[in-house]
Amino acid sequence: MARITLVEGDITEQRVDAVVNAANSSLLGGGGVDGAIHRRGGPEILAECRRLRASHWGRGLPVGRAVATTAGRLPARWVVHTVGPVYLAEEYEERAGLLASCYRESLRAAAELGARTVAFPAVSAGIFGWPPADAARIALGTVAGVLDGDDARAGAELAEVRFVLFGAEMYRVFERARGELLGPEGC
């Protein structure tokens, strides 16, 4: 089974096969992780995103889905773009399912490309307002489930799923969640 690792750092500096972008539905860049990936990756990513918008994703990428492009100038091979849900407590169950779908669909897209290493940010835990502890629980639980065989196509060839967390506090939140969900050794 693939390892689940946690690092505090900058996702745009990760040398992995696929970096996951917490994108907005337009696929045309934005703030936070999305803006950083587009800036560092350069115009090649935006050009592919524009082609996606001109074809299959004319209305934008739906929440919970994932699509891959080149990584441009990033040290990764591909970027897997996924759109996380905005947190709304009154729609928790539906939106939590969409957040889990971001992780499953991203792993599936990465696996279809032949990726062995994937780096994730904390999807929806920034400007989209998802409470960090719950975002970590959903992220780690979903990824562990995929790697344990919930979706054999998505997890079969992966060697490492890395969560790249911005800031010491987000790292600590994910570290606590990993300990609670996966035990002291994690995966």
Side-chain angles (χ1 to χ4, degrees):
M1 184 168 91
R3 295 175 304 158
I4 295 175
T5 59
L6 307 177
V7 298
E8 180 184 346
D10 181 344
I11 198 160
T12 69
E13 296 176 354
Q14 301 304 303
R15 294 191 179 284
V16 292
D17 294 325
V19 167
V20 177
N21 179 18
N24 64 51
S25 65
S26 77
L27 295 174
L28 302 179
V33 169
D34 194 19
I37 284 175
H38 276 269
R39 280 189 303 279
R40 176 97 189 267
E44 298 88 350
I45 296 172
L46 183 58
E48 279 197 35
C49 286
R50 284 190 172 135
R51 281 193 289 279
L52 289 168
R53 286 297 305 272
S55 62
H56 189 70
W57 301 110
R59 293 187 173 167
L61 186 64
V63 173
R65 299 293 301 271
V67 65
T69 66
T70 181
R73 299 174 189 157
L74 293 171
R77 293 179 65 190
W78 302 287
V79 174
V80 176
H81 306 267
T82 191
V83 180
V86 172
Y87 179 77
L88 289 173
E90 59 273 11
E91 296 178 18
Y92 178 80
E93 291 302 319
E94 175 187 351
R95 289 175 182 256
L98 288 169
L99 182 54
S101 179
C102 289
Y103 290 97
R104 278 193 304 277
E105 292 297 315
S106 294
L107 289 172
R108 186 173 295 125
E112 287 172 1
L113 294 166
R116 301 223 354 104
T117 54
V118 179
F120 278 100
V123 177
S124 289
I127 196 166
F128 284 10
W130 209 281
D134 194 51
R137 182 189 58 77
I138 292 168
L140 291 162
T142 302
V143 168
V146 169
L147 297 178
D148 279 342
D150 288 355
D151 186 337
R153 289 181 306 155
E157 300 300 320
L158 290 170
E160 179 188 11
V161 176
R162 183 182 310 165
F163 286 91
V164 183
L165 306 157
F166 188 74
E169 182 53 33
M170 189 64 76
Y171 178 86
R172 283 191 293 274
V173 166
F174 268 72
E175 192 173 45
R176 279 192 299 273
R178 183 175 64 174
E180 291 168 7
L181 290 168
L182 307 174
E185 298 299 315
C187 277

